Amino acid sequence: MTKTPKKNSASETPSSSVRRRKSALLSARVPDTPAPAQALPLEPAPETVSAAAAQLSERRRQDPFFAREAAKYGHPLPSREYVLQVLAEAGRPMPWSELVEALDISPQEYELFERRLKAMERDGQILRNRRGAYLLPEKADLIRGRVQGHPDGFGFVIRDDGGEDIFLGPKEMRQVLHGDRVIVRIAGTDRRGRPEGKIVEVLERANQKVVGRVLVEHGVTLVVPEDKRIAQDILVAPGGKKVKPGQVVVVELVEQPTKYAQPIGRIVEVLGDYDDPGMEIEIALRKFDLPFEWPSEVREEARRLPDAVRRKDLAGRVDLRELPLVTIDGETAKDFDDAVYCEPQGKGFRLIVAIADVSHYVHPGSALDAEGFNRGNSVYFPRRVIPMLPEKLSNGLCSLVPHEDRLCMACDMIVSASGKVQRYRFYPAVMNSHARLTYTEVAAALYEGKEEARTKLAELLPHLQHLDAVFRALLKARRQRGAIDFETVETRIEFDENGKIARIVPEVRTDAHRLIEECMLAANVCASEFLAEHEHPTLYRVHEPPAPEKVAALREFLAGFGIELPGGDEPSPKDYAKVLEQIQQRPDAPLLQMVMLRSLKQAVYTPENRGHFGLAYEAYAHFTSPIRRYPDLLVHRCIKAVLAGTRYEPGDWKAIGEHCSMTERRADEATREVIGWLKCYFMQDKVGEVYTGVVTAVVPFGLFVTLDELFVEGLVHISDLGDDYFHFDERAHALVGERSGVRHRLADRVKVQVVRVDLATRKIDFHLLENLSPAPTRREGKTERTRRAKGKR
């Protein structure tokens, strides 16, 4: 009997495996030669199989993925899928000796096969029990997932299979941090009836560096993480950088937590004091793991790019430089992705949307492309932008600045008087923007009739009027299509000379904003239709219909107000639009609109075209912002491939879509974090002041209220609602008093007093002084719990 080799103690660490997988994904995304569109056949062509592979036993050749492995390796091992199949067929845990015999592994292959098994263990595909036998986690009722921490010390496992979240008590959370991947076993249920888990194994550690504040207690230095989902303080090892209590630092973990010991780290970066200008952004960058420093190879590639469009770049391009294309953006914008032009044509219009041709400069396989994928999108903080691409591209060579030649991809459309795009074509072009306009000045000239603005834009005014005309036609088609249009209030933060908030003002959305929006929507739809028609894979921007349970809850809620949501179990966007139009003039319109909005799903990037529910499109893709969104850059490459009669294959489209959706969510979370910190800082000197506001969220522990004048949100805790037991009525979006019947609902107008501002936790607490909304009838809105209690009496 062959002796089992000693297990390799030098196996890869989780951090190295993460780096390896990232590298593998990038290399798979941008291969030197196009990847095959479909899986390789089970039986390889003779020339694709090495001599070593051809000599393998029949048992090894029964591997369903033998051809794939043989194409990748001169001496192919059993595929992961084949290992899983053999373990499943065995129906029991298999020791090493039995597994290598079942798969006909020779002694010379032991080390390589062991590495494959270790990788499968690391990814949670297999496990080893206490006797060292390999087993399938699902057969042992083990569940894989990612830990989601809570500031109060407990957490949940978000399951990979999409099942119900598993509760982890504080004791279990001691050995993991937020974001870690684990395998758990259901150990029972908690007090609320939720499944409660016990950690069997930690598969992957998510936190290698953590940003936090220094705390010194009894001579011991700790770092308190800024991410409150990490509820454990980090013990600072001796040595490293010298710091003062209260400073913000980055600590590198040298020991992850265990059941019996807290995490230990070494301070590697001192960011400064907590209230230093811009510190909130520095914290967010590290807390959300946002890439913000350019790798040296990216800087070098950017340096080698030309400073201006060269004559040789114009070959094969349509010359649009004489057309008065203009950009229309906000006052602070610097990266101009898009320019527009319109002229009457018969009873309709010719509309050209010209988009910066980023793909001409950012090539697959380049360091610029890899970093663009890594970032996924630009992140817009107040007063600072973390661009997806270096400024030489984002603010220079690719930005459609006025009076400079720029390469672009044009979507040239013929739009009917009714707003229907009748024909379109895409082509590479060169353009020269005739003006950099802002929404404010276009609105002043077109819609407010201000003479000064009309005089300033006199030369361009006829072209702007043509753009307005096509906008009206597209808007008409939008309404007929039944797209959903929620009215929301955006805000802009204005700063003083010290970099702190001076005021928060509402951002007025004018018809100038809507004009550009409709033009961009039209171009995006043409891009998706063009690629779908030519059957070229791409990333679609998908917004799926609301879940049936959300629809049922919304229908029940609206019925309580005498409103019917048409469309049965699957309402269309037009059904939503009809309700929005119906409630427009009602005093409770904000409440109804808010509940309707929350019934909808979040849009994602995916290669599966499932339409866009909110915009009422059968197909939709992002084409118009390749400077700041990586999916748009991919769509440009796909369109160019179709025009060239080739095919663009970046790799696993699904994985790329998931990554781009993640980076979008990451940017949103980081931006909200920064704005929340700034608003807390702004409110520090306003404790004791009284304001009016609106209830923007109802949760089991209280009401979130947004102040009218300041646009700042804070919490009225349930204990501050009055002398009663208040119960959360989820379907009614209300907290209802058990004895009094008083109800506090979503969108209620209230008067509150600021009682506490905690900058460290970004929390603002209000005390409810008065509910200004019409008082409901006494005992209206009793909760189910109260009704049951009454029935017992």
Side-chain angles (χ1 to χ4, degrees), residues 210-405:
V210 175
V211 62
R213 280 199 292 174
V214 175
L215 176 67
V216 178
E217 285 186 342
H218 308 296
V220 177
T221 303
L222 303 167
V223 172
V224 182
E226 276 298 305
D227 190 343
K228 300 309 173 187
R229 295 172 298 185
I230 300 177
Q232 302 184 52
D233 295 343
I234 298 164
L235 183 64
V236 176
K241 296 182 179 291
K242 292 188 176 181
V243 292
K244 300 175 183 177
Q247 285 187 312
V248 181
V249 300
V250 177
V251 59
E252 184 177 50
L253 297 186
V254 295
E255 288 189 26
Q256 294 284 347
T258 68
K259 286 182 180 181
Y260 312 106
Q262 67 192 103
I264 300 174
R266 182 178 295 112
I267 292 173
V268 293
E269 187 178 7
V270 180
L271 300 180
D273 293 328
Y274 199 61
D275 58 354
D276 287 348
M279 182 56 67
E280 68 281 356
I281 295 176
E282 296 297 333
I283 290 171
L285 292 174
R286 292 159 179 84
K287 176 176 174 179
F288 293 96
D289 199 22
L290 286 164
F292 63 95
E293 294 179 331
W294 300 110
S296 58
E297 57 268 29
V298 173
R299 294 198 301 270
E300 178 59 25
E301 277 191 11
R303 187 190 64 78
R304 293 199 301 264
L305 289 170
D307 294 320
V309 173
R310 300 164 298 190
R311 182 179 295 275
K312 66 179 184 179
D313 296 325
L314 306 185
R317 291 181 177 270
V318 176
D319 194 338
L320 300 178
R321 286 176 287 189
E322 295 305 315
L323 282 184
L325 285 150
V326 297
T327 63
I328 306 176
D329 291 275
E331 276 78 3
T332 59
K334 294 180 181 178
D335 49 352
F336 307 124
D337 288 287
D338 54 86
V340 289
Y341 167 78
C342 182
E343 64 183 32
Q345 190 158 101
K347 293 183 179 180
F349 311 90
R350 181 194 182 194
L351 172 64
I352 297 178
V353 174
I355 306 298
D357 190 0
V358 177
S359 63
H360 182 82
Y361 300 104
V362 180
H363 303 136
S366 67
L368 281 167
D369 183 53
E371 186 63 14
F373 169 79
N374 188 30
R375 297 186 176 211
N377 44 257
S378 298
V379 186
Y380 294 86
F381 294 116
R383 297 176 300 133
R384 183 176 173 186
V385 177
I386 308 299
M388 184 180 82
L389 299 170
E391 288 190 11
K392 185 170 183 179
L393 285 166
S394 60
N395 293 356
L397 191 56
C398 289
S399 186
L400 305 181
V401 293
H403 314 303
E404 294 281 349
D405 289 354

Side-chain angles (χ1 to χ4, degrees), residues 323-539:
L323 282 184
L325 285 150
V326 297
T327 63
I328 306 176
D329 291 275
E331 276 78 3
T332 59
K334 294 180 181 178
D335 49 352
F336 307 124
D337 288 287
D338 54 86
V340 289
Y341 167 78
C342 182
E343 64 183 32
Q345 190 158 101
K347 293 183 179 180
F349 311 90
R350 181 194 182 194
L351 172 64
I352 297 178
V353 174
I355 306 298
D357 190 0
V358 177
S359 63
H360 182 82
Y361 300 104
V362 180
H363 303 136
S366 67
L368 281 167
D369 183 53
E371 186 63 14
F373 169 79
N374 188 30
R375 297 186 176 211
N377 44 257
S378 298
V379 186
Y380 294 86
F381 294 116
R383 297 176 300 133
R384 183 176 173 186
V385 177
I386 308 299
M388 184 180 82
L389 299 170
E391 288 190 11
K392 185 170 183 179
L393 285 166
S394 60
N395 293 356
L397 191 56
C398 289
S399 186
L400 305 181
V401 293
H403 314 303
E404 294 281 349
D405 289 354
R406 287 293 182 261
L407 305 184
C408 63
M409 283 294 292
C411 179
D412 199 332
M413 297 167 273
I414 301 299
V415 183
S416 71
S418 62
K420 180 179 175 58
V421 178
Q422 296 175 317
R423 299 191 306 279
Y424 63 83
R425 67 188 183 105
F426 288 94
Y427 50 82
V430 57
M431 61 161 285
N432 189 299
S433 172
H434 285 224
R436 179 268 198 266
L437 305 179
T438 67
Y439 295 121
T440 303
E441 59 188 350
V442 170
L446 277 183
Y447 307 119
E448 298 167 18
K450 292 185 177 179
E451 200 57 42
E452 182 181 349
R454 293 177 70 85
T455 302
K456 180 182 177 182
L457 302 181
E459 188 176 340
L460 292 170
L461 198 57
H463 301 294
L464 293 176
Q465 289 169 335
H466 295 154
L467 281 167
D468 177 62
V470 76
F471 157 58
R472 300 293 166 188
L474 291 169
L475 191 61
K476 181 181 178 182
R478 176 193 184 101
R479 288 168 179 155
Q480 290 178 342
R481 195 172 68 247
I484 305 170
D485 193 6
F486 290 104
E487 287 296 330
T488 57
V489 177
E490 301 293 332
T491 59
R492 182 179 74 255
I493 297 176
E494 296 181 353
F495 296 88
D496 59 23
E497 62 278 4
N498 298 318
K500 301 304 179 185
I501 296 182
R503 64 192 63 84
I504 303 169
V505 297
E507 189 78 78
V508 179
R509 186 167 173 259
T510 67
D511 277 353
H513 292 82
R514 296 184 180 94
L515 184 155
I516 291 299
E517 180 182 299
E518 288 298 330
C519 292
M520 297 306 110
L521 290 175
N524 285 338
V525 170
C526 290
S528 64
E529 289 183 354
F530 179 76
L531 294 173
E533 179 184 338
H534 288 86
E535 298 182 348
H536 194 293
T538 191
L539 281 188

Side-chain angles (χ1 to χ4, degrees), residues 476-770:
K476 181 181 178 182
R478 176 193 184 101
R479 288 168 179 155
Q480 290 178 342
R481 195 172 68 247
I484 305 170
D485 193 6
F486 290 104
E487 287 296 330
T488 57
V489 177
E490 301 293 332
T491 59
R492 182 179 74 255
I493 297 176
E494 296 181 353
F495 296 88
D496 59 23
E497 62 278 4
N498 298 318
K500 301 304 179 185
I501 296 182
R503 64 192 63 84
I504 303 169
V505 297
E507 189 78 78
V508 179
R509 186 167 173 259
T510 67
D511 277 353
H513 292 82
R514 296 184 180 94
L515 184 155
I516 291 299
E517 180 182 299
E518 288 298 330
C519 292
M520 297 306 110
L521 290 175
N524 285 338
V525 170
C526 290
S528 64
E529 289 183 354
F530 179 76
L531 294 173
E533 179 184 338
H534 288 86
E535 298 182 348
H536 194 293
T538 191
L539 281 188
Y540 292 95
R541 181 65 167 175
V542 168
H543 183 224
E544 294 192 80
E549 59 272 17
K550 291 280 189 179
V551 172
L554 175 62
R555 180 169 281 112
E556 182 181 337
F557 177 80
L558 292 175
F561 292 82
I563 300 168
E564 180 185 356
L565 175 65
D569 294 336
E570 298 181 0
S572 68
K574 187 172 287 189
D575 295 323
Y576 267 71
K578 284 179 181 176
V579 173
L580 285 172
E581 186 177 356
Q582 180 183 343
I583 67 175
Q584 211 167 32
Q585 303 304 319
R586 292 176 56 129
D588 54 8
L591 163 66
L592 302 172
Q593 176 177 280
M594 210 175 294
V595 176
M596 292 179 70
L597 178 61
R598 291 179 181 180
S599 72
L600 300 178
K601 291 184 178 180
Q602 188 176 29
V604 296
Y605 293 107
T606 174
E608 300 173 27
N609 177 22
R610 298 194 290 268
H612 197 292
F613 183 83
L615 296 172
Y617 287 131
E618 292 183 5
Y620 189 67
H622 276 164
F623 162 76
T624 53
S625 297
I627 289 177
R628 61 186 179 89
R629 289 189 308 224
Y630 193 78
D632 302 52
L633 175 57
L634 294 176
V635 168
H636 277 238
R637 289 175 179 166
C638 294
I639 290 173
K640 281 188 173 181
V642 171
L643 294 176
T646 60
R647 197 171 180 88
Y648 174 57
E649 295 285 359
D652 186 342
W653 280 106
K654 184 178 179 182
I656 295 170
E658 289 172 350
H659 173 80
C660 292
S661 298
M662 179 277 292
T663 62
E664 179 186 41
R665 291 191 302 271
R666 179 178 66 184
D668 289 343
E669 290 173 1
T671 305
R672 280 196 299 270
E673 174 91 2
V674 167
I675 292 173
W677 191 96
L678 288 168
K679 288 182 176 180
C680 272
Y681 193 93
F682 177 61
M683 293 295 291
Q684 283 184 119
D685 61 352
K686 295 174 176 58
V687 173
E689 295 190 17
V690 175
Y691 301 93
T692 58
V694 63
V695 176
T696 47
V698 181
V699 292
F701 51 86
L703 311 171
F704 282 98
V705 175
T706 299
L707 305 182
D708 293 334
E709 302 168 28
L710 305 180
F711 303 96
V712 169
E713 187 179 68
L715 174 70
V716 176
H717 193 267
I718 193 168
S719 59
D720 275 331
L721 293 181
D723 186 18
D724 201 347
Y725 291 108
F726 283 86
H727 304 294
F728 178 49
D729 188 338
E730 185 175 8
R731 290 188 177 276
H733 299 270
L735 285 170
V736 185
E738 181 178 298
R739 176 184 54 81
S740 63
V742 170
R743 92 169 23 189
H744 300 286
R745 298 185 309 179
L746 191 68
D748 275 358
R749 296 200 51 73
V750 294
K751 182 186 288 186
V752 297
Q753 183 180 37
V754 183
V755 294
R756 181 171 171 265
V757 177
D758 188 340
L759 196 59
T761 59
R762 285 94 162 139
K763 289 180 180 178
I764 301 172
D765 291 335
F766 298 147
H767 173 65
L768 180 66
L769 297 177
E770 185 181 357

Side-chain angles (χ1 to χ4, degrees), residues 766-785:
F766 298 147
H767 173 65
L768 180 66
L769 297 177
E770 185 181 357
N771 192 326
L772 303 173
S773 297
T777 306
R778 184 173 176 80
R779 308 197 72 78
E780 178 189 357
K782 305 293 283 181
T783 64
E784 185 62 32
R785 184 188 305 182

Side-chain angles (χ1 to χ4, degrees), residues 99-136:
L99 189 58
V100 296
E101 183 180 350
L103 290 166
D104 202 12
I105 305 295
S106 66
Q108 293 80 9
E109 296 174 307
Y110 281 173
E111 185 177 352
L112 291 174
F113 184 58
E114 184 181 13
R115 289 184 188 176
R116 171 152 290 185
L117 293 181
K118 281 182 177 293
M120 293 178 70
E121 279 188 78
R122 190 170 52 245
D123 292 340
Q125 292 179 297
I126 60 175
L127 270 181
R128 274 183 295 176
N129 61 22
R130 293 182 180 181
R131 298 171 61 188
Y134 293 92
L135 59 105
L136 299 173

